[in-house]
């Protein structure tokens, strides 16, 4: 079993929809939770990170972490065609400090 | 401020050859991370260098190796290339140990 599991998708939504992307993990030592966006043929770009449990909002993006359930989510409000990309969750902490473990990514398409 | 730069962008090698990939981190970042992203797969951790030392290594054979230079730039070497080494190799740097800044990657093709 992988340490980090991510809904594989692909996910296709109409423009303006609310998108929910999710990951689960098994390592309770993880303390930092990140979301990256990767466009085709590009390196991943850090969207936001959260320390421990709770919510964090940045514009149209909201990250949620529930450590009790070992579950993290990224919500995208008012989705735009430019949000079409692969979204990767990543986690680090504990014995994995200094190294991030990534999910396999969810490919999102937002249709105009 | 320049981001993480990787070279070359593309590399084509024959099975059995050696490949050398290079990475320059963001100025001030002392940690460099290498990941492999095979087609359709997630990012697999290869190596982490900090202050010139190898700090952690992923589950890859010893023919994957690297080093970090005094200016914090890094080199990834892959010896005895195999077809399944074909992938996008991503370098990232960080100052806090999480929340990486990635380069655009080197696309290695082994034929």
């Amino acid at each position: 079993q992988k340490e980090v599991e991510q809904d594989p998708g692909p996910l296709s939504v109409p423009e303006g929809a609310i998108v929910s992307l999710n990951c689960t993990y098994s390592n309770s030592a993880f303390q930092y939770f990140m979301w990256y966006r990767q466009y085709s043929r590009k390196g991943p770009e850090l969207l936001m990170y959260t320390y421990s449990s709770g919510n964090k909002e940045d514009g149209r993006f909201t990250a949620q972490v529930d450590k009790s359930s070992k579950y993290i989510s990224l919500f995208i409000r008012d989705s735009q065609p430019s949000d079409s990309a692969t979204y990767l969750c990543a986690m680090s902490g504990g014995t994995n400090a200094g190294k991030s473990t990534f999910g396999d990514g969810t490919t999102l398409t937002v249709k105009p | 401020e320049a981001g993480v730069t990787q070279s070359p962008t593309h590399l084509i090698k024959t099975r059995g050859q050696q490949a050398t990939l290079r990475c320059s981190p963001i100025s001030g970042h002392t940690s460099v991370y290498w990941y492999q992203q095979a087609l359709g797969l997630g990012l697999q951790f290869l190596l982490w260098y900090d202050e010139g030392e190898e700090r952690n290594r992923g589950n890859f054979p010893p023919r994957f190796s690297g080093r970090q230079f005094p200016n914090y730039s890094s080199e990834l070497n892959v010896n005895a290339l195999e077809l399944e080494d074909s992938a996008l190799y991503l370098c990232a740097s960080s100052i806090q140990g999480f929340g990486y800044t990635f380069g655009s990657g080197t696309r290695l093709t082994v034929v």
Side-chain angles (χ1 to χ4, degrees):
Chain A
Q1 185 186 5
K2 293 183 178 181
E3 275 191 301
V4 178
E5 298 277 1
Q6 184 169 1
D7 292 345
L11 195 58
S12 181
V13 301
E15 184 175 354
I18 296 175
V19 176
S20 172
L21 303 166
N22 309 295
C23 289
T24 59
Y25 63 95
S26 57
N27 188 340
S28 58
F30 286 142
Q31 295 177 300
Y32 294 94
F33 303 90
M34 286 70 70
W35 286 96
Y36 291 82
R37 177 175 63 195
Q38 185 175 24
Y39 292 114
S40 181
R41 302 186 180 279
K42 297 287 187 182
E45 167 196 6
L46 179 67
L47 282 174
M48 46 198 312
Y49 69 87
T50 309
Y51 174 70
S52 195
S53 283
N55 295 356
K56 187 173 185 178
E57 188 173 320
D58 184 1
R60 297 185 294 111
F61 298 88
T62 299
Q64 288 186 351
V65 175
D66 182 350
K67 290 192 73 177
S68 63
S69 301
K70 296 189 179 68
Y71 189 88
I72 72 170
S73 299
L74 178 71
F75 297 95
I76 307 174
R77 291 184 300 280
D78 187 25
S79 56
Q80 302 295 309
S82 58
D83 295 328
S84 298
T86 297
Y87 290 80
L88 301 155
C89 63
M91 307 172 190
S92 69
T95 55
N96 286 317
K99 160 198 156 186
S100 288
T101 301
F102 285 78
D104 287 345
T106 301
T107 299
L108 170 68
T109 300
V110 181
K111 296 184 175 180
Chain B
E1 180 185 83
V4 176
T5 57
Q6 291 188 246
S7 64
T9 305
H10 294 88
L11 191 57
I12 299 175
K13 291 285 186 179
T14 304
R15 190 171 49 184
Q17 285 188 316
Q18 178 195 32
T20 298
L21 289 63
R22 296 181 176 85
C23 172
S24 292
I26 288 176
S27 177
H29 288 190
T30 61
S31 280
V32 170
Y33 307 83
W34 288 95
Y35 283 81
Q36 181 196 67
Q37 188 175 34
L39 190 63
L41 298 179
L43 275 71
Q44 304 299 314
F45 171 71
L46 272 164
L47 291 158
W48 167 32
Y49 291 98
D50 182 59
E51 297 284 359
E53 300 286 332
E54 183 180 299
R55 301 296 186 183
N56 203 341
R57 181 183 179 84
N59 189 25
F60 280 84
R63 57 191 186 82
F64 287 83
S65 65
R67 54 180 171 167
Q68 186 178 34
F69 299 99
N71 66 353
Y72 304 117
S73 67
S74 179
E75 194 173 87
L76 174 69
N77 295 292
V78 187
N79 293 320
L81 284 165
E82 300 179 2
L83 296 178
E84 52 265 35
D85 296 333
S86 295
L88 180 67
Y89 288 84
L90 291 160
C91 171
S93 73
S94 173
I95 201 165
Q96 72 270 41
F98 61 92
Y100 301 157
T101 301
F102 280 92
S104 292
T106 293
R107 174 77 58 188
L108 173 63
T109 302
V110 183
V111 297

